[in-house]
Amino acid sequence: MSNPEFKSEGSYLKGALGALIGALIGALVWAVVYLLGVIAGIVGLLIGWLAIKGYDKMGGKQNKGKIVVLIVCIIIGVLVGTYAGLIADVYKEVSDYGITVGQTVELVNEVIANDSEVQGEVIRDVVMGLVFAGLGVFSLLRNEAKKMPKKDEAEQ
């Protein structure tokens, strides 16, 4: 029994662009929540939901490759959100000293590159973020995968 929503036409490139835009919108929310000192699965769920909506709105191809594109975009969303949250957090602390956002980015990059303790904290935050996002989007991705036809259905 084939899913009536299944369409073999579409474009991975357009879908990936839409998913990336959605994930980056979610990354902005992730950065704000990160700035508040929290890493929440609900924001990971939001990133995933926005990535799915963006993929579909841009006419992404509806087959199993969609799941791979979504996972990559969700990971990018978490990474960008964590990085942006870190930049915003540091900027909040140093802006009173006349340091610009650009200088803050340079400072954060330099510290991450040279301070193993900070590297460990950033890695921990990214891993926690990916775990929470994974938990948040697991059911969304499973539902998207269920929409795909089984191999023998696709051949009919």
Side-chain angles (χ1 to χ4, degrees):
M1 174 184 253
S2 181
N3 185 334
E5 295 178 26
F6 173 75
K7 295 178 183 155
S8 61
E9 66 270 1
S11 164
Y12 284 126
L13 185 59
K14 287 181 182 178
L17 179 61
L20 186 60
I21 290 168
L24 291 176
I25 292 168
L28 291 174
V29 176
W30 187 276
V32 169
V33 172
Y34 182 91
L35 187 58
L36 298 173
V38 179
I39 296 175
I42 191 74
V43 183
L45 180 66
L46 177 66
I47 290 173
W49 184 81
L50 289 168
I52 291 167
K53 290 298 176 195
Y55 187 95
D56 292 342
K57 289 280 185 199
M58 292 291 286
K61 194 169 193 161
Q62 299 294 318
N63 64 23
K64 294 197 188 248
K66 173 182 183 178
I67 303 302
V68 174
V69 170
L70 292 173
I71 289 170
V72 169
C73 289
I74 291 164
I75 290 169
I76 291 170
V78 170
L79 293 173
V80 169
T82 302
Y83 182 67
L86 181 60
I87 299 285
D89 192 31
V90 171
Y91 181 71
K92 181 177 72 170
E93 298 297 323
V94 300
S95 62
D96 291 342
Y97 301 103
I99 296 177
T100 66
V101 173
Q103 291 169 323
T104 303
V105 170
E106 290 176 18
L107 175 66
V108 167
N109 289 343
E110 186 175 324
V111 171
I112 289 172
N114 296 311
D115 188 327
S116 61
E117 186 177 325
V118 172
Q119 290 169 356
E121 290 177 24
V122 169
I123 290 169
R124 185 199 71 221
D125 287 348
V126 167
V127 169
M128 278 183 24
L130 291 172
V131 167
F132 279 115
L135 293 172
V137 300
F138 177 77
S139 63
L140 285 177
L141 293 176
R142 187 179 67 223
N143 289 340
E144 289 300 309
K146 285 181 182 178
K147 291 179 186 177
M148 308 301 159
K150 304 285 186 256
K151 186 176 182 177
D152 55 342
E153 290 175 355
E155 293 171 357
Q156 292 178 356

